[in-house]
Amino acid sequence: MAWRFALMIDPVASGDDRADYLDTFTELDPAAPALTVGELSTQRGDGIFESIGVVDGHPQEVSAHLERLAHSAQLCDLPEPNIAQWRAAVALAAERCGAGEAVIKLILSRGVEHGPAPTAWVTAAEASDFSRARTEGIRAVTLDRGYSLATPAHAPWLLLGAKTLSYAVNMAALREAKRRGADDAIFTTSDGFVLEAPTASLILRRGSTFITPAPNAGILHGTTQLSLFEHLVSRGFTVGYETIPAETLPAADAAWLVSSVRLAAPLVAIDDAPLAVDASFTASLNDYLLSPRD
């Protein structure tokens, strides 16, 4: 990954437009040290983040990502992000991305223990090449997430609907998937219902209807999934949210894992059960996702 830009943000700021926030940003050498040893994002994973795809300098779905950042902050009892300030930081980072695909990350942590304020920063880097996953597809296995469908409602302190920096479980799931000969994982509840992938949302096709697991069990509502649903409706398809039993996954006519940077990756198999792949339809989805989207 080629780093292009890093920016520290003073989160205590106010103003009306981009110019009001320029003096609250400090540009850094992306290869240089920037955080103190007492930073809680690295000590405890105590913070939140968003990853925004960038295509030819255009940051995708910025408003949706900022809304989700604010939602995660609320769940984690972090200060409410100044949306105008973060939007200005995203615009500045996008200007450094240039042609091709890149990713901008927004990070807000609780800061230094006993410190006066949270720590906030933005990075921009060249995106990995996901062309093979988009065209040839990926294999996935289902993995038990370790809680029931009802758990998030009964235990909100688990922060299951927040996009936190605590991604150790997500990364462990990806390693386990690779140990099982797959490329990715699909989390399920302990009582047998489908959740999401460690870094992506799941979309299933049944005829002319597209569904995704209902976001009521600690599922992170995917910005790419929401955008694709709008696109599919505009093409005359039906979309919906359902509580999906894991045992029904192999019966889907097609399936995709979708995310902000990899975009739409068709699933060729789930737990070794093969799934059909419509290459031309998938290409049309990715053509849409690569188009400028606000």
Side-chain angles (χ1 to χ4, degrees):
M1 178 178 286
W3 294 98
R4 297 181 177 179
F5 183 69
L7 189 74
M8 295 298 293
I9 299 174
D10 176 2
V12 183
S14 62
D16 297 318
D17 54 38
R18 176 175 172 177
D20 294 327
Y21 297 110
L22 293 181
D23 61 356
T24 71
F25 302 149
T26 301
E27 185 172 347
L28 306 171
D29 178 351
L35 301 176
T36 69
V37 294
E39 169 61 42
L40 293 177
S41 63
T42 55
Q43 284 195 0
R44 299 178 183 169
D46 192 359
I48 57 177
F49 78 102
E50 283 290 324
S51 296
I52 300 177
V54 184
V55 180
D56 293 332
H58 184 278
Q60 306 280 54
E61 304 285 350
V62 175
S63 293
H65 282 285
L66 293 178
E67 289 170 7
R68 195 166 66 179
L69 185 77
H71 178 65
S72 294
Q74 182 182 34
L75 291 177
C76 295
D77 295 319
L78 286 166
E80 181 180 359
N82 183 327
I83 297 300
Q85 182 188 33
W86 283 92
R87 189 181 297 276
V90 170
L92 189 59
E95 290 173 358
R96 307 298 180 88
C97 288
E101 295 182 51
V103 56
I104 291 174
K105 289 195 174 183
L106 319 180
I107 304 99
L108 175 63
S109 94
R110 211 169 298 278
V112 179
E113 191 163 15
H114 309 306
T119 306
W121 68 99
V122 170
T123 64
E126 181 180 333
S128 299
D129 182 4
F130 290 113
S131 56
R132 184 172 180 178
R134 296 170 188 169
T135 56
E136 298 182 14
I138 58 177
R139 303 175 67 87
V141 293
T142 55
L143 296 178
D144 189 340
R145 188 66 173 84
Y147 62 81
S148 72
L149 196 67
T151 296
H154 296 157
W157 52 87
L158 295 178
L159 305 178
L160 295 172
K163 194 172 179 69
T164 72
L165 293 170
S166 303
Y167 255 47
V169 170
N170 302 60
M171 298 300 100
L174 290 176
R175 292 193 298 272
E176 178 62 22
K178 294 183 187 302
R179 279 192 287 268
R180 300 187 186 194
D183 306 293
D184 214 320
I186 297 172
F187 284 133
T188 63
T189 64
S190 56
D191 46 353
F193 295 97
V194 180
L195 293 169
E196 59 192 344
T199 63
S201 303
L202 173 68
I203 294 178
L204 304 176
R205 181 174 187 171
R206 296 174 182 163
S208 61
T209 299
F210 294 79
I211 64 168
T212 195
N216 59 359
I219 292 175
L220 189 71
H221 213 157
T223 57
T224 307
Q225 172 263 309
L226 287 167
S227 184
L228 266 183
F229 269 22
E230 292 180 5
H231 172 66
L232 289 166
V233 168
S234 73
R235 293 175 61 174
F237 295 103
T238 301
V239 301
Y241 297 86
E242 294 184 12
T243 299
I244 304 170
E247 63 186 14
T248 67
L249 285 175
D253 294 324
W256 297 263
L257 292 183
V258 302
S259 56
S260 297
V261 182
R262 188 171 58 184
L263 306 183
L267 286 164
V268 300
I270 300 176
D271 290 335
D272 292 326
L275 289 172
V277 173
D278 186 332
S280 61
F281 185 81
T282 298
S284 73
L285 297 182
N286 282 316
D287 285 344
Y288 164 72
L289 292 174
L290 286 166
S291 67
R293 293 175 290 117
D294 296 320

